[in-house]
Structure formats: C-alpha cells, structure tokens
Amino acid sequence: MSRGRLPWALLAVLVLAQICYPLTGGATRAGLTVATVVLGWLLSVGHALLSRGPRTALALVAVATGGGFAIEALGVATGFPFGSYDYSGELGPKLAGVPLIIPLAWTWMAWPAWLTAARLTGSRAGRIALAAVGLAAWDLFLDPQMVAEGYWRWRDATPALPGLPGVPVSNYLGWLLFAVLLMTALRPLAGPAVDRADGRDAPMFALYLWTYASSVLAHAVFLRLPASALWGAAGMAVAAVPLAVTLLRARRDGAGRGAAEPAPRVDAPA
C-alpha cells in the first residue's frame, strides 16, 4: 500500500468502528471505544509522520499526548482546570488515575483541528485560536457521551450548560485553556512544515468533517442525547462549516478551470 493511501485506509477502519459503536453495549462498547481512540491516534500521528516528517510527528506526540496526560493527571489530582472528576475502570489501564487512552484522544483530534485552521487562515494567532476552538468544541459531544456511558463522573457538575447535566462548564473552559496551550506549543516544536495545509491533508479534513457530521447524527438519533447534538453542532461549526465551504469552493473552482481549458490541439497527419 502506498504512503498516500495508508491514512485513507486507517480512516476507513476508524469510520467502520464508529458506525458499530451505537450497535454495541456494555464491555463490547467500552472495548470498541478504546480501539477507536487507538485507531484515531495512529491515523493522526501516522499522517503527521508521512506528510510532514519525524519532527512534526514527535512534536504532536509531545504536546498532545504528553501534554494531554500531564493536564489530565493534574485534573484528577487537583480538580484544576476541569473540575473534580474520577475515571471508572472501563477504559483500560490507568496511570496516576488517568486511563492511558485519554491522552491519545487529545492527539487524535488535535492534528485535524490544526490542519483545518491552517487551511482556513494564514495568521499565526488566527490558526492557534481557530485550532483551539476546533479541538475544544469536540468535547461538547465527547464529555456528555462518556458521562452517559459511565466512563467518568464529576463530583460537582454545577453550573452546567442547559440540557447537559452531569458536566460542569468548568470542564469546557479547561479544555479550551489546554487547547490554546497545546496549539501555541505545536508550531514552534513542529516547525514551518505545519504552517500550511495542502492536498496531502485531505484525509484529515475528511476526518474532521466526518467527526462533526457523524457526532451530530449519533447524538441526535442513536445515543438519544439531543442537547449535546445541538451544543456540539453549534460549537464545532465554527471550524467545520468554513472548512466544508472552502473545500467545496476549491473543488468547484478546480472543475471550472478544467472545463474552461481548451482541448489540446491535434494536428492532422500530413
């Protein structure tokens, strides 16, 4: 399999696993959750390695996986910056009270969120801000879903967003704070290779848009979490909708240019 096709293959397996999620339950669903996160981590880190090289992949792992573990361990131990919470034992082995797959989830979505921002804006500050919002807004889907499954619980879930009991507002603010720190650190460590997005990043754009659309559908229909469907749809739309519009325009403009080009001249044989 070619290097260019590998991310698409991993994305296809990931999509299949996510489609199976609402069709399972209990220990099977918990195991599928772990497998999905591992697949997502492999997809994002693998794409970073194949498209930008070892420096970018190592930077992504350092700031997203390493940083994600550090902030989660701090949160479990002190309640800062998310609020006081505890993980159940259903998500696999823990270190310092944190299931080892949790930092992998930060990494899984941090990379497509960064590339989405790089595709949409050339401003460094703008990239950091949009990438941070694009990552943090995902938790408007994720946290209500995981709390409903019993994978973690909050000791004090007030105040909460309307329709989302069980998850304090401090959690979302904590996610946003860490996402800003993560995106701020990523560029200096990863280097100029991450300043712009290009055609190699199509699998990551597909991942981000799939995550957005499938989360809205799953929460609204299959998981019976209509409030998180609405909150998540509104939050991730900040990055997902402009990305979809930009990609559709680029596709339309490319097709238009191709149609406008004259056919190559073929001289008749003498």
Side-chain angles (χ1 to χ4, degrees):
M1 181 181 296
S2 70
R3 291 161 59 98
R5 291 182 180 177
L6 181 58
W8 287 111
L10 285 173
L11 177 59
V13 177
L14 176 63
V15 168
L16 179 60
Q18 290 181 314
I19 290 173
C20 292
Y21 178 88
L23 306 177
T24 62
T28 301
R29 179 174 284 189
L32 190 59
T33 299
V34 173
T36 300
V37 173
V38 172
L39 280 169
W41 186 88
L42 290 172
L43 172 57
S44 288
V45 174
H47 178 270
L49 176 64
L50 293 174
S51 66
R52 302 304 194 284
R55 175 179 174 178
T56 297
L58 288 173
L60 179 62
V61 171
V63 300
T65 310
F69 173 78
I71 198 71
E72 290 281 359
L74 178 65
V76 169
T78 69
F80 177 83
F82 306 109
S84 296
Y85 61 104
D86 297 293
Y87 285 104
S88 72
E90 296 186 59
L91 294 179
K94 299 180 186 178
L95 179 63
V98 180
L100 295 178
I101 69 156
I102 297 298
L104 305 188
W106 287 96
T107 315
W108 167 20
M109 286 304 295
W111 183 235
W114 174 269
L115 292 175
T116 293
R119 181 67 174 82
L120 295 174
T121 177
S123 161
R124 181 172 297 185
R127 281 198 301 272
I128 291 171
L130 185 57
V133 171
L135 172 59
W138 180 48
D139 196 50
L140 292 165
F141 290 118
L142 183 64
D143 229 281
Q145 178 182 339
M146 298 296 104
V147 167
E149 293 294 338
Y151 296 155
W152 57 80
R153 66 175 184 85
W154 297 90
R155 298 171 191 168
D156 182 3
T158 57
L161 293 174
L164 298 182
V167 183
V169 171
S170 60
N171 172 68
Y172 305 114
L173 296 176
W175 263 72
L176 182 59
L177 171 63
F178 178 66
V180 170
L181 296 176
L182 188 162
M183 298 306 177
T184 301
L186 180 60
R187 168 57 179 82
L189 291 174
V194 300
D195 280 343
R196 289 182 175 82
D198 55 40
R200 299 171 297 177
D201 303 324
M204 294 297 99
F205 298 147
L207 170 61
Y208 195 81
L209 293 176
W210 159 258
T211 300
Y212 177 64
S214 65
S215 296
V216 173
L217 177 63
H219 282 239
V221 178
F222 298 105
L223 302 178
R224 299 180 181 178
L225 297 170
S228 58
L230 290 172
W231 280 106
M236 281 191 75
V238 173
V241 171
L243 175 64
V245 170
T246 298
L247 294 177
L248 286 172
R249 284 178 177 171
R251 183 181 181 90
R252 181 196 62 195
D253 293 346
R257 282 194 299 269
E261 290 176 358
R265 177 182 175 182
V266 179
D267 294 328

